[in-house]
């Protein structure tokens, strides 16, 4: 067995690999040790201590998770530590979560969480493995969401020809097998009204999404931009219907098909490029600007008025993302707001007791609704997001009434 089906990325330089000097990575440069649940569907359980899964009770397993930059449509074919261009198709690299381990080229069943030496004396090589839910990036230049079943993922692309195309993926963002695509029923609603009193939706214009090969599509013509539309999808006959709200500021552009990668020594050969499904128009995938600083925690300012000002900014950002339909970006300001609220919690002794009585439950409410905004933002159901944001905004209001703003 050579590399087998595992994706190996040789992270050592050729001279090191030649066996002159075993590469020593200082322990503090390794991605931190996390404890994850081995159960499929519990990929969001990531703890910093050993223990049992809060969702299913299984024993957590140690792993090193790293956020790396790679090609959107060829995850982990190349792995970079910073943004750049995909060498295959020239599109901007995207961030994915991968599990990092060390193995031996001649014995890929060896898997260690630290670098070291192989039985044959050669230094171990770094291996990146895709993780379920590790890639939430659009593959066709559209908008990408995760389904509430925590397994399916979908992407909607609105083409300049007036066609809406729905792509379906599994938990690893691989295209759904054809038999499963056949079981999907879906329609696209382009006009609907929502009665806030009765919480019911009335569809005024809808088109069935019809299967065309591996994807579904509907010809809806050219709507004025930004165009809002809602896909209602059942993944199985008789299964629950999930709602995904799209807002397209422009038409979606398929990333270019890419030239053949000349495989570098030790690199796996390029997998066959997926057959282009449409006339390629050139252009690039846009990375949501928020994604680039998603991993940078917000520095907490010194004074309460400065924290309050930051909290106001994050609240405005969330509102803007909701208005623009950039639901997948909401978690960034939501989590930053959560951190700011926790910083206020640590300073609650500086305010009078009567104000504290208002502030304390409001902070709890803000933290809970920030998690809801994160979860619902991934799912792309606007009504759920708006409901969570109204809880969030009410909490911010109470906090503003309790802490001095200057
Ligand atoms: Zn679990
Ligand atoms: Zn996911």
């Amino acid at each position: 067995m050579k590399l087998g089906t595992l994706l190996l990325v040789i992270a050592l330089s050729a001279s090191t690999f030649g066996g002159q000097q075993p590469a020593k990575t200082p322990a503090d440069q390794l991605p931190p040790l996390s404890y994850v649940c081995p159960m499929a569907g519990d990929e969001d359980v990531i703890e910093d201590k050993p223990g049992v899964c809060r969702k299913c009770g299984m024993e957590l397993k140690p792993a090193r998770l790293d956020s790396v930059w790679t090609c959107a449509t060829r995850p982990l074919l190349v792995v970079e530590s910073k943004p750049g261009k995909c060498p295959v198709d020239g599109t901007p690299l995207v961030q994915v979560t991968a599990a990092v381990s060390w193995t031996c080229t001649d014995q890929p069943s060896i898997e260690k969480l630290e670098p070291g030496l192989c039985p044959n004396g050669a230094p171990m090589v770094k291996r990146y493995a895709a993780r379920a839910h590790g890639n939430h990036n659009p593959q066709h230049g559209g908008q990408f969401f995760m389904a509430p079943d925590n397994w399916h993922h979908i992407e909607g692309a609105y083409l300049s020809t007036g066609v809406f195309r729905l792509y379906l993926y599994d938990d690893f963002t691989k295209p759904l097998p054809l038999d499963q695509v056949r079981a999907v029923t879906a329609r696209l609603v382009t006009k609907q009204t929502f009665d806030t009193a009765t919480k019911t939706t009335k569809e005024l214009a809808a088109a069935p999404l019809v299967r065309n090969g591996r994807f579904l599509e509907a010809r809806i013509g050219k709507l004025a931009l930004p165009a809002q539309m809602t896909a209602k999808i059942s993944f199985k006959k008789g299964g629950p219907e999930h709602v995904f709200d799209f807002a397209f500021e422009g038409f979606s552009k398929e990333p270019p098909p890419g030239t053949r990668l000349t495989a570098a020594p030790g690199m796996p050969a390029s997998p066959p490029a997926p057959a282009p499904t449409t006339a390629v128009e050139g252009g690039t995938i846009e990375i949501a600007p928020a994604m680039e600083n998603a991993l940078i925690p917000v520095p907490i300012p010194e004074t309460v008025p400065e924290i309050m000002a930051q909290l106001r900014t994050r609240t405005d950002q969330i509102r803007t993302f909701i208005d623009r339909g950039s639901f997948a970006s909401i978690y960034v300001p939501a989590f930053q707001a959560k951190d700011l609220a926790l910083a206020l919690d640590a300073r609650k002794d500086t305010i009078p007791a009567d104000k504290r009585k208002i502030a304390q439950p409001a902070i709890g409410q803000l933290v809970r609704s920030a998690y809801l905004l994160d979860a619902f933002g991934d799912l792309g159901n606007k009504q759920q997001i708006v409901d969570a944001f109204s809880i969030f905004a009410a909490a911010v209001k109470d906090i503003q009434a309790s802490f001095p703003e200057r």
Side-chain angles (χ1 to χ4, degrees):
M1 170 168 171
K2 270 212 85 177
L3 300 183
T5 52
L6 292 166
L7 195 52
L8 282 179
V9 177
I10 311 300
L12 300 168
S13 73
S15 67
T16 315
F17 197 61
Q20 294 163 2
Q21 277 252 293
K24 264 255 166 16
T25 317
D28 59 1
Q29 278 182 19
L30 301 182
L33 210 49
S34 303
Y35 294 85
V36 298
C37 179
M39 174 78 104
D42 285 359
E43 288 80 11
D44 55 329
V45 176
I46 300 172
E47 310 288 353
D48 53 10
K49 289 191 268 304
V52 295
C53 172
R54 62 184 148 84
K55 284 163 95 176
C56 73
M58 278 175 80
E59 198 184 331
L60 301 178
K61 297 258 176 292
R64 290 195 193 276
L65 302 182
D66 202 359
S67 186
V68 295
W69 294 86
T70 188
C71 299
T73 57
R74 293 154 182 90
L76 301 181
L77 179 64
V78 292
V79 172
E80 299 286 350
S81 58
K82 50 184 193 304
K85 283 231 156 86
C86 171
V88 184
D89 59 18
T91 56
L93 297 178
V94 297
Q95 259 182 325
V96 302
T97 304
V100 181
S101 61
W102 281 262
T103 189
C104 300
T105 29
D106 55 345
Q107 281 176 275
S109 59
I110 291 180
E111 181 158 46
K112 301 270 188 232
L113 291 174
E114 270 85 32
L117 292 179
C118 293
N120 67 4
M124 296 179 108
V125 292
K126 203 174 187 180
R127 173 162 69 195
Y128 291 92
R131 236 176 102 70
H133 302 285
N135 183 11
H136 281 170
N137 298 290
Q139 307 292 295
H140 295 276
Q143 288 180 2
F144 188 94
F145 295 122
M146 178 164 82
D149 62 15
N150 204 18
W151 192 84
H152 288 93
H153 296 82
I154 62 134
E155 177 180 356
Y158 185 34
L159 309 181
S160 58
T161 50
V163 170
F164 175 90
R165 206 166 265 179
L166 179 73
Y167 297 92
L168 301 145
Y169 307 102
D170 67 6
D171 51 343
F172 282 86
T173 312
K174 294 223 176 70
L176 217 55
L178 196 53
D179 59 323
Q180 294 183 39
V181 176
R182 284 203 183 97
V184 173
T185 48
R187 67 184 185 286
L188 187 72
V189 180
T190 47
K191 207 182 268 177
Q192 60 184 1
T193 52
F194 183 74
D195 185 344
T196 40
T198 58
K199 290 222 149 213
T200 49
T201 303
K202 199 168 152 207
E203 293 175 12
L204 303 176
L209 280 156
V210 179
R211 190 175 68 82
N212 178 0
R214 285 282 193 104
F215 50 80
L216 309 182
E217 61 183 17
R219 283 175 193 285
I220 51 170
K222 287 196 183 191
L223 306 178
L225 297 171
Q228 303 208 351
M229 52 199 82
T230 300
K232 303 195 176 178
I233 307 171
S234 298
F235 292 108
K236 281 195 200 62
K237 301 243 148 54
E241 187 176 84
H242 302 300
V243 173
F244 302 91
D245 292 312
F246 295 91
F248 294 100
E249 295 198 354
F251 293 111
S252 313
K253 285 181 183 158
E254 186 83 20
T259 49
R260 274 191 63 88
L261 180 79
T262 40
M267 278 273 256
S270 169
T277 49
T278 176
V280 172
E281 305 182 23
T284 55
I285 313 172
E286 288 220 357
I287 306 180
M291 257 180 63
E292 292 164 39
N293 53 22
L295 298 172
I296 304 168
V298 59
I300 305 292
E302 288 285 302
T303 70
V304 167
E306 284 172 310
I307 297 176
M308 297 300 291
Q310 286 268 352
L311 187 57
R312 211 166 31 238
T313 310
R314 307 299 150 192
T315 308
D316 291 343
Q317 278 178 349
I318 298 170
R319 190 178 292 119
T320 307
F321 283 146
I322 294 174
D323 290 346
R324 289 205 330 224
S326 308
F327 302 140
S329 305
I330 290 173
Y331 77 99
V332 179
F335 280 156
Q336 290 172 341
K338 176 207 70 169
D339 291 342
L340 291 162
L342 292 174
L344 287 172
D345 191 58
R347 291 161 174 80
K348 63 178 183 287
D349 291 338
T350 63
I351 57 171
D354 59 325
K355 301 255 172 164
R356 218 178 303 147
K357 262 194 212 138
I358 303 169
Q360 195 144 18
I363 289 169
Q365 204 177 20
L366 188 146
V367 171
R368 277 190 300 277
S369 56
Y371 279 108
L372 285 180
L373 283 169
D374 165 51
F376 292 150
D378 276 348
L379 306 178
N381 180 322
K382 188 169 183 179
Q383 193 53 47
Q384 287 178 324
I385 296 167
V386 167
D387 289 348
F389 183 64
S390 67
I391 302 172
F392 180 95
V396 171
K397 226 173 148 194
D398 281 350
I399 292 169
Q400 281 171 332
S402 326
F403 282 91
E405 298 229 28
R406 53 183 65 245

